[in-house]
Amino acid sequence: MSRDIESNHNITFDCKYHVVFCPKYRRKVLVDSVETRLKELLLEKAAEIHSEIVEMEIMPDHVHLLIKCDPQYGIHKVVKQLKGYTSRILRDEFKSLKSRLPSLWTNSYFVATVGTVQLDVVKKYIEEQKSR
């Protein structure tokens, strides 16, 4: 994969992050129509906050994302926005999520930077999650 360098008029960057987060109590609620809607919402919100989801896979009890974002905005803000937005909408649209969980997501998440050399390996890992 070639480098995808970007600029925000102050800095030039190529920042990608592997992010993993889970529903509260690691409940297996991210299935069927919830999974489909979650993917739509994540892509929608990412575009709104000027970040990009390069790759994504939704497992029943966790989410894998490969996110590209401006380092001045920061990955923490991106994750916070994605989790907050999806939680609010999914809990409104799927009442079972409201009754089974006090909040949709745990407060924590995993994040690791991804270098250009590792990028293809991480993409493949995320793509193959369901076939494991």
Side-chain angles (χ1 to χ4, degrees), residues 29 33-34 36 95:
V29 296
S33 55
V34 174
T36 303
K95 300 302 179 196

PDB file of all heavy atoms in Angstrom, residues 29 33-34 36 95:
ATOM      1  N   VAL A  29     -24.133  -7.787  21.583  1.00  0.00           N
ATOM      2  CA  VAL A  29     -25.304  -7.082  21.069  1.00  0.00           C
ATOM      3  C   VAL A  29     -25.093  -6.482  19.678  1.00  0.00           C
ATOM      4  O   VAL A  29     -26.031  -5.963  19.078  1.00  0.00           O
ATOM      5  CB  VAL A  29     -25.752  -5.963  22.051  1.00  0.00           C
ATOM      6  CG1 VAL A  29     -26.204  -6.554  23.379  1.00  0.00           C
ATOM      7  CG2 VAL A  29     -24.642  -4.944  22.268  1.00  0.00           C
ATOM      8  N   SER A  33     -29.232  -6.238  12.551  1.00  0.00           N
ATOM      9  CA  SER A  33     -29.517  -4.853  12.155  1.00  0.00           C
ATOM     10  C   SER A  33     -28.732  -3.839  12.992  1.00  0.00           C
ATOM     11  O   SER A  33     -28.448  -2.742  12.519  1.00  0.00           O
ATOM     12  CB  SER A  33     -31.017  -4.570  12.213  1.00  0.00           C
ATOM     13  OG  SER A  33     -31.531  -4.875  13.485  1.00  0.00           O
ATOM     14  N   VAL A  34     -28.362  -4.188  14.215  1.00  0.00           N
ATOM     15  CA  VAL A  34     -27.538  -3.287  15.038  1.00  0.00           C
ATOM     16  C   VAL A  34     -26.162  -3.153  14.380  1.00  0.00           C
ATOM     17  O   VAL A  34     -25.621  -2.046  14.264  1.00  0.00           O
ATOM     18  CB  VAL A  34     -27.403  -3.789  16.494  1.00  0.00           C
ATOM     19  CG1 VAL A  34     -26.425  -2.933  17.283  1.00  0.00           C
ATOM     20  CG2 VAL A  34     -28.761  -3.823  17.178  1.00  0.00           C
ATOM     21  N   THR A  36     -25.363  -3.591  11.185  1.00  0.00           N
ATOM     22  CA  THR A  36     -25.512  -2.843   9.932  1.00  0.00           C
ATOM     23  C   THR A  36     -25.633  -1.349  10.202  1.00  0.00           C
ATOM     24  O   THR A  36     -24.956  -0.528   9.578  1.00  0.00           O
ATOM     25  CB  THR A  36     -26.756  -3.341   9.169  1.00  0.00           C
ATOM     26  OG1 THR A  36     -26.615  -4.741   8.940  1.00  0.00           O
ATOM     27  CG2 THR A  36     -26.928  -2.615   7.853  1.00  0.00           C
ATOM     28  N   LYS A  95     -34.446  -0.262  21.257  1.00  0.00           N
ATOM     29  CA  LYS A  95     -34.824  -0.137  22.679  1.00  0.00           C
ATOM     30  C   LYS A  95     -34.222  -1.241  23.546  1.00  0.00           C
ATOM     31  O   LYS A  95     -33.974  -1.030  24.721  1.00  0.00           O
ATOM     32  CB  LYS A  95     -36.353  -0.117  22.834  1.00  0.00           C
ATOM     33  CG  LYS A  95     -37.024   1.029  22.093  1.00  0.00           C
ATOM     34  CD  LYS A  95     -36.505   2.378  22.541  1.00  0.00           C
ATOM     35  CE  LYS A  95     -37.176   3.496  21.758  1.00  0.00           C
ATOM     36  NZ  LYS A  95     -36.496   4.761  21.861  1.00  0.00           N
TER      37      LYS A  95
END
